[in-house]
Amino acid sequence: MQSTTALRISAVFGFLAVAIGAFGAHGLKELLVRNGTLAIFETAAHYHLLHAAVMLWVSTREPLPVGSWRCFCAGVLIFSGSLYALAISGVKVLGAITPLGGLFLLAGWLLLALGRRA
């Protein structure tokens, strides 16, 4: 993977974090409050935006730490994605896959700490 591709994907993740967060705060707030899942949605948005920023930073490193970047990408998709889906749908079983996303996020941080590229 090239740094430019990683940077662009990271920027899209950041854009989506802001857009989804704003949509949740304004367009979905009533539904989320009714479902009792506003805090879940906010957690998803928080981790999404935070890790999009980290992905953006990682994508500027030379050489690109591909393993960390991919773990963060998978982590955001699985962790935040499952929480967004749970918050909107109220289907609690979706929370069962959230920890897998958390493990990917942890792995991304660990790979960075160890200085691993792949």
Side-chain angles (χ1 to χ4, degrees):
M1 167 174 287
Q2 293 183 1
S3 309
T4 305
T5 303
L7 185 120
R8 287 181 178 157
I9 293 169
S10 301
V12 169
F13 270 54
F15 173 87
L16 290 172
V18 174
I20 293 169
F23 183 60
H26 301 288
L28 295 175
K29 187 170 185 178
E30 185 180 315
L31 171 70
L32 298 172
V33 168
R34 189 172 53 243
N35 286 350
T37 56
L38 181 60
I40 292 170
F41 193 92
E42 289 173 345
T43 297
H46 176 82
Y47 276 81
H48 184 168
L49 183 58
L50 173 77
H51 286 89
V54 172
M55 288 169 63
L56 191 64
W57 175 80
V58 167
S59 70
T60 66
R61 305 293 96 204
E62 287 297 333
L64 175 67
V66 178
S68 294
W69 188 89
R70 286 182 177 161
C71 283
F72 289 134
C73 184
V76 168
L77 291 171
I78 298 168
F79 183 86
S80 293
S82 65
L83 289 179
Y84 287 138
L86 185 158
I88 292 167
S89 70
V91 177
K92 301 291 184 197
V93 72
L94 291 168
I97 61 171
T98 304
L100 178 60
L103 289 175
F104 275 108
L105 295 175
L106 289 170
W109 285 109
L110 186 58
L111 289 173
L112 276 181
L114 296 174
R116 298 291 166 88
R117 221 189 120 209

